[in-house]
Amino acid sequence: MVSEYNIVITGVGGQGILTAANLLGWAALHAGYKVRVGEVHGMSQRFGSVIAYVRFGEDVYGAMVPEGKADVILAFEPVEALRYINYLKEGGLVIANSNPIPPVQVSMGLATYPSMEEIKKIIEEDFKGKLITLDAEKLALEAGNVITTNVVLIGALTQTPGFPLSAEHVKEVIRLSVPKKAVDVNMKAFELGVKAAKELLGL
Amino acid sequence: MAKVTDIVLWDKPGEKVLLLGNHAIARGALEANIAVFAAYPGTPSSELTDTMAAVAEKAGVYMEYSTNEKVAFETALSAAWSGLRAMTAMKHVGLNVAADSFMTVSYMGVEGGFVIMVADDPSMWSSQNEQDTRIFAKFAQVPVLEPSSPHEAKEMTKYAFELSEKFKQMVILRTTTRISHARGDVVLGELPEEIKLGKRKFGKFEKNPERFVDIPAFQRKKHSWVLETIEKMREELAECPFNWIEGKEDAKVGIIAPGLAYSYVKEALTWLGVDDVKVLKLGTPFPVPYRLLEKFFDGLERVLIVEELEPVVEEQVKVWAFDNGIRIPIHGKDYVPRVLEMTTRRAVTAIAKFLGLETPVDFESVDERYKKVSAIVPPRPPSLCPACPHRNTFYAIRKAAGSRAIFPSDIGCYTLGVLPPLKTVDTTIAMGGSIGVAHGLDVALNGVPGEKETNEKKRIIVATIGDSTFFHTGLPALANAIYNRSNVVIVVMDNLVTAMTGDQPNPGTGDTPHGPGKRILIEDVAKALGADFVEVVDPYDIKATYEVMKKAIETEGVSVVVARRVCALHHIGQMRRKGEKWPIYTVNEEKCTGCKICINAYGCPAIYWDAEKKKAKINPLMCWGCGGCAQVCPFGAFEVMKEGE
């Protein structure tokens, strides 16, 4: 049992971030941990930048991960990983979906979208983290439904060195949570995420 | 991971489940054998209301979505006056709407337990201010309970009913966003037989005008009852199971942590590795039990109060200390910020400063490194969804009224119309404020018929208001504008659901948790009130909407346009559940000239700019098939690609 494990999930409202946070929370609860999940509801959800927190362990209280304390940032969109990089602890891991969703301000020419090199440089050099990116959307489509992008990313997350829950356990919780007709595609999405992360992490 | 609506009805005492704070409170209300629940949805309180709506029939609870917080309060209150256990829920600004009744009812008290759940929103994640409800509790001299975790929120709900019944006074259960919207492990308790059987409970109202009629002669006698009651409660709350002293008994320093701040303090102390402190965990920030303070202060040389927002506890503690001749340093808002929400960082920083320690993470260095990030990360504010009918309505309004027109708006998803490129929201204040402001602007800038003098240079004023907001507090403002001969256009953006808070029904939809209610049509109301022009349009037809807007603007007097089309998010959700498909649009690159009208004037989030090809593109995963882009593009470049998902 770990005393504390912190996950920050980021992305764009509508990408299934709250569902992912809830699934991980239940997985941790079923593993016997004390759990806190922090979410954003209401207007903030509408295609804006979204952050959710999943914390579990023996000593967790607040629903938000403090800055500098996230073991992992799971980003559904690359620039959103960077926006919340101050949460990452030194030596932490960022798992990012590689599909950018340009904000309207970028399309209007009022702001620019940073390059992947810039994003990587800040994460790895300034914040001493490790970044892996995977095309989770593509893998989700390969599994059979783009809606499983979040499950691909959860699969990848379970391969994080030091992740306290077993991949099989998390997978089982997902299997029991999704509608029956969606079980197969979700299980496939999970496995594709596991495989991609193993390759990227050299496991 | 079972469905929440199943979990809150589970007859499994002792089972550990993961529940959102708001769900946990719903369970607590059921465990307390609640009979009546009435509320108007407001983030961050809405899930409590929705959960009650979902289980009401099965649990034998009467539940309603009232049109606003004041009537919700009165509905639930009447049940409590009839001896039943009743509850209402609202967000902090909702209490302002209910305040007129609330402030007076504290003089009358209740018979059955009456709990008012008020969800505060520090940091204003979904709100217009961050007012601290604990001040309202003190204002009315009504006790307030504040949980430190979702499980405690459930337990406190039960206790709140008991406390309310014992003292015959209302009780506020105050949460903040990080309780309401935090999931935590919750242990289920026993459900009463009546809830398990779904047996509806009926009350008994005993007439007592001296108590229930608030004429001055009756009320004068009761103010002192209010003050005596709160002091009796202050005494009682020293034994409240949600207040305790922990930590080192003979410590020289003490920390007082009310509500959720206790969680942050616990975490901060662990993180700092500090254990030689005494902690007063306070679940009742008003009234602070003095007897507990006596015990806590014994032997202390210094005290820090870590509380979110206003110094409500700090002021009570300092007054008590002064009156009792205690002259040790008591810190609070000099160490802990008074604005925005509490965080572990804030608690760690305040405690480290108080104890003369270093923080475990050099937060300033993190901030310094983050500066570079802030400079290059593009902003991503929330936006109107793809296919949102409001986008089309705003687009048509702007085109018809011109940019010189003034656009008062209201509280709802459509407030997002303030952002570029639509920029069709110039003012908002509170629910229903758009119509009042529109009329006021007309008076201030143009003058109204019948006045000796009016301004020759008239400004066009077009107000926007949502369907639910219209019924909430728009109605009196509309009556006022019509009565006082305003010359304004009021566009009711009727998306057939209370969208921003989670798709609740309202009088415009006619549905209730107990089956069909009686639907009220906005256009009928506007006609009945005497509006000079009333039309219903479908905003998915942009041209027709524009033409009706033109006519409405040209009409002297109050024009009401009802722009009716179901909320896209709600609609897509329903289609997904049914496995239905929708058309997806794509850009014909040969026809796209790169004029960017679709981006710079229309601003659908599914449309983005391909900088290399200098063409507009559509993200097929985000297109919800309304076809608005095809209507605004002058070159016919948007075409249906294929059947969607």
Side-chain angles (χ1 to χ4, degrees):
Chain A
M1 296 291 270
V2 289
S3 70
E4 181 180 338
Y5 195 82
N6 295 311
I7 307 164
V8 164
I9 310 180
T10 71
V12 179
Q15 285 191 298
I17 291 159
L18 302 193
T19 310
N22 195 11
L23 281 169
L24 287 165
W26 273 98
L29 185 87
H30 284 317
Y33 283 109
K34 192 175 162 187
V35 184
R36 290 288 181 273
V37 179
E39 312 178 349
V40 177
H41 291 219
M43 191 202 266
S44 328
Q45 274 174 280
R46 306 279 186 266
F47 293 86
S49 166
V50 168
I51 181 168
Y53 312 89
V54 181
R55 325 186 60 196
F56 53 89
E58 286 164 78
D59 280 321
V60 292
Y61 291 92
M64 288 179 290
V65 173
E67 285 128 292
K69 235 185 172 190
D71 294 278
V72 183
I73 294 180
L74 192 64
F76 285 40
E77 200 279 346
V79 87
E80 296 308 318
L82 197 55
R83 193 187 306 281
Y84 300 105
I85 194 61
N86 50 333
Y87 286 95
L88 193 71
K89 72 173 186 192
E90 273 191 28
L93 178 69
V94 178
I95 302 173
N97 179 15
S98 60
N99 298 279
I101 301 175
V104 174
Q105 276 74 5
V106 169
S107 293
M108 289 180 75
L110 302 174
T112 43
Y113 195 99
S115 69
M116 277 313 290
E117 290 75 44
E118 272 179 288
I119 294 174
K120 192 176 167 69
K121 200 164 163 243
I122 291 177
I123 292 173
E124 302 203 333
E125 289 177 19
D126 296 340
F127 285 86
K128 311 272 177 267
K130 181 175 167 58
L131 170 71
I132 61 167
T133 56
L134 64 158
D135 192 339
E137 239 163 64
K138 202 177 123 202
L139 295 174
L141 283 168
E142 199 180 315
N145 195 335
V146 71
I147 223 159
T148 59
T149 302
N150 55 4
V151 174
V152 172
L153 288 164
I154 291 175
L157 170 72
T158 59
Q159 301 309 305
T160 309
F163 185 73
L165 308 173
S166 88
E168 278 313 306
H169 170 75
V170 176
K171 198 175 161 187
E172 183 62 13
V173 171
I174 295 173
R175 196 178 67 77
L176 294 171
S177 303
V178 299
K180 273 204 182 77
K181 58 178 185 193
V183 167
D184 289 348
V185 46
N186 275 283
M187 294 300 97
K188 198 170 168 203
F190 188 92
E191 281 309 326
L192 287 171
V194 167
K195 193 167 154 253
K198 271 188 176 160
E199 280 164 19
L200 289 160
L201 291 163
L203 299 171
Chain B
M1 199 173 121
K3 263 169 65 186
V4 168
T5 44
D6 294 338
I7 295 175
V8 294
L9 278 175
W10 266 356
D11 185 17
K12 295 182 184 178
E15 180 92 358
K16 198 191 249 190
V17 292
L18 189 70
L19 287 183
L20 205 60
N22 283 345
H23 299 151
I25 295 169
R27 171 72 186 200
L30 295 175
E31 287 180 12
N33 205 13
I34 187 176
V36 170
F37 184 100
Y40 180 83
T43 314
S45 77
S46 316
E47 296 80 9
L48 164 56
T49 301
D50 296 345
T51 309
M52 294 306 296
V55 303
E57 282 284 309
K58 274 188 191 160
V61 175
Y62 171 77
M63 189 279 162
E64 72 175 34
Y65 286 105
S66 310
T67 48
N68 71 29
E69 293 83 355
K70 182 172 181 285
V71 294
F73 177 93
E74 287 150 5
T75 304
L77 166 73
S78 307
W81 275 356
S82 307
L84 299 171
R85 286 191 167 183
M87 192 172 195
T88 181
M90 55 197 71
K91 65 188 295 181
H92 57 310
V93 289
L95 186 56
N96 301 342
V97 179
D100 204 1
S101 295
F102 171 73
M103 292 301 292
T104 296
V105 168
S106 70
Y107 285 38
M108 302 166 158
V110 293
E111 274 306 299
F114 184 30
V115 179
I116 306 150
M117 183 275 207
V118 188
D120 284 3
D121 190 14
S123 279
M124 299 169 271
W125 297 106
S126 281
S127 305
Q128 57 268 54
N129 68 35
E130 50 183 1
Q131 72 191 40
D132 191 326
T133 292
R134 301 174 308 162
I135 293 184
F136 236 127
K138 189 169 174 241
F139 192 16
Q141 298 288 309
V142 163
V144 55
L145 302 174
E146 198 186 353
S148 65
S149 69
H151 176 73
E152 199 176 53
K154 176 180 83 84
E155 295 298 310
M156 255 187 190
T157 306
K158 281 192 280 186
Y159 178 80
F161 280 106
E162 287 159 19
L163 187 70
S164 173
E165 265 165 26
K166 180 164 181 186
F167 290 91
K168 300 210 178 297
Q169 180 61 290
M170 315 176 267
V171 172
I172 290 180
L173 177 74
R174 181 237 191 188
T175 67
T176 54
T177 311
R178 301 298 172 181
I179 286 287
S180 275
H181 290 166
R183 284 175 209 271
D185 29 298
V186 171
V187 182
L188 301 182
E190 296 269 1
L191 286 176
E193 282 305 309
E194 284 155 305
I195 295 284
K196 281 195 260 183
L197 298 171
K199 196 173 177 330
R200 171 83 150 87
K201 296 164 280 282
F202 295 96
K204 202 170 150 200
F205 180 76
E206 309 263 359
K207 287 190 189 190
N208 183 353
E210 289 213 20
R211 183 171 177 198
F212 298 127
V213 179
D214 65 355
I215 58 172
F218 296 159
Q219 292 294 86
R220 266 179 218 121
K221 297 172 194 158
K222 293 184 233 161
H223 196 175
S224 52
W225 173 81
V226 178
L227 299 175
E228 284 157 20
T229 304
I230 199 76
E231 289 314 313
K232 279 184 199 155
M233 285 191 189
R234 197 191 289 281
E235 187 56 28
E236 163 106 358
L237 291 174
E239 313 300 332
C240 166
F242 305 105
N243 293 331
W244 66 77
I245 296 165
E246 65 178 43
K248 205 162 160 246
E249 232 175 78
D250 58 350
K252 299 277 178 266
V253 293
I255 297 172
I256 300 178
L260 182 57
Y262 169 74
S263 290
Y264 297 119
V265 165
K266 283 288 278 185
E267 204 159 281
L269 291 173
T270 313
W271 205 8
L272 284 162
V274 170
D275 54 13
D276 54 347
V277 292
K278 198 151 76 162
V279 175
L280 171 57
K281 187 272 183 198
L282 206 54
T284 60
F286 181 80
V288 171
Y290 293 152
R291 205 144 45 82
L292 214 53
L293 288 184
E294 277 166 30
K295 217 169 127 194
F296 178 71
F297 268 70
D298 187 32
L300 292 182
E301 290 171 5
R302 281 171 343 116
V303 169
L304 172 68
I305 298 153
V306 181
E307 75 188 302
E308 203 170 28
L309 297 183
E310 294 297 312
V312 174
V313 170
E314 183 180 338
E315 285 174 3
Q316 291 174 79
V317 170
K318 281 179 173 169
V319 168
W320 170 85
F322 187 87
D323 288 350
N324 286 278
I326 293 166
R327 294 293 178 267
I328 62 167
I330 300 171
H331 295 280
K333 288 297 154 192
D334 49 344
Y335 282 31
V336 183
R338 192 166 171 166
V339 296
L340 305 182
E341 71 178 324
M342 177 65 63
T343 60
T344 304
R345 172 179 172 169
R346 284 180 161 196
V348 163
T349 307
I351 294 169
K353 193 172 163 194
F354 177 63
L355 298 175
L357 302 168
E358 292 277 316
T359 55
V361 163
D362 183 356
F363 294 116
E364 277 166 22
S365 144
V366 174
D367 291 347
E368 193 54 42
R369 281 175 282 155
Y370 190 73
K371 269 188 195 160
K372 198 156 127 193
V373 177
S374 323
I376 68 160
V377 171
R380 193 194 299 274
S383 77
L384 296 173
C385 301
C388 174
H390 299 335
R391 176 177 293 101
N392 295 7
T393 306
F394 280 134
Y395 185 84
I397 290 172
R398 224 183 141 75
K399 220 172 152 192
S403 56
R404 246 196 107 246
I406 307 173
F407 306 111
S409 189
D410 226 297
I411 307 290
C413 293
Y414 48 93
T415 314
L416 293 169
V418 67
L419 298 171
L422 294 166
K423 293 200 275 189
T424 315
V425 171
D426 292 324
T427 72
T428 62
I429 323 169
M431 297 287 282
S434 58
I435 301 176
V437 167
H439 169 63
L441 286 171
D442 187 45
V443 167
L445 307 176
N446 300 332
V448 294
E451 275 193 289
K452 248 196 299 190
E453 213 178 321
T454 54
N455 194 349
E456 278 168 30
K457 288 184 188 166
K458 298 252 189 293
R459 294 288 293 269
I460 294 170
I461 299 159
V462 184
T464 45
I465 184 167
D467 46 342
S468 188
T469 312
F470 176 80
F471 289 110
H472 180 281
T473 27
L475 282 170
L478 179 61
N480 185 65
I482 293 170
Y483 163 55
N484 286 301
R485 306 180 72 178
S486 246
N487 182 22
V488 294
V489 178
I490 294 153
V491 182
V492 185
M493 303 175 109
D494 182 7
N495 62 3
L496 298 162
V497 81
T498 311
M500 192 169 80
T501 45
D503 298 356
Q504 295 84 2
N506 65 53
T509 67
D511 302 320
T512 84
H514 299 286
K518 188 159 181 172
R519 187 177 181 199
I520 305 173
L521 288 171
I522 295 160
E523 56 274 26
D524 289 356
V525 174
K527 278 180 205 152
L529 283 176
D532 299 284
F533 175 99
V534 180
E535 285 254 3
V536 181
V537 294
D538 175 4
Y540 272 11
D541 186 340
I542 297 180
K543 190 156 174 278
T545 305
Y546 162 80
E547 274 157 15
V548 169
M549 292 297 170
K550 268 278 183 214
K551 267 197 263 171
I553 290 164
E554 281 157 17
T555 305
E556 278 290 318
V558 174
S559 301
V560 175
V561 178
V562 182
R564 179 171 295 140
R565 170 60 77 155
V566 68
C567 163
L569 185 63
H570 179 70
H571 183 60
I572 286 290
Q574 284 179 327
M575 286 178 81
R576 272 197 186 123
R577 274 189 287 279
K578 288 184 208 151
E580 288 173 13
K581 299 187 190 304
W582 54 88
I584 287 178
Y585 282 76
T586 188
V587 176
N588 181 332
E589 285 186 8
E590 281 171 20
K591 289 187 184 169
C592 176
T593 64
C595 75
K596 277 190 147 182
I597 281 180
C598 54
I599 289 168
N600 289 344
Y602 189 62
C604 171
I607 306 174
Y608 65 98
W609 182 243
D610 185 335
E612 273 173 33
K613 291 187 177 164
K614 300 210 181 324
K615 305 274 179 193
K617 279 251 170 86
I618 286 184
N619 178 347
L621 301 176
M622 286 168 76
C623 176
W624 291 351
C626 71
C629 49
Q631 294 179 54
V632 300
C633 176
F635 306 100
F638 290 92
E639 297 166 354
V640 174
M641 178 170 68
K642 57 170 178 142
E643 285 291 292
E645 289 184 79

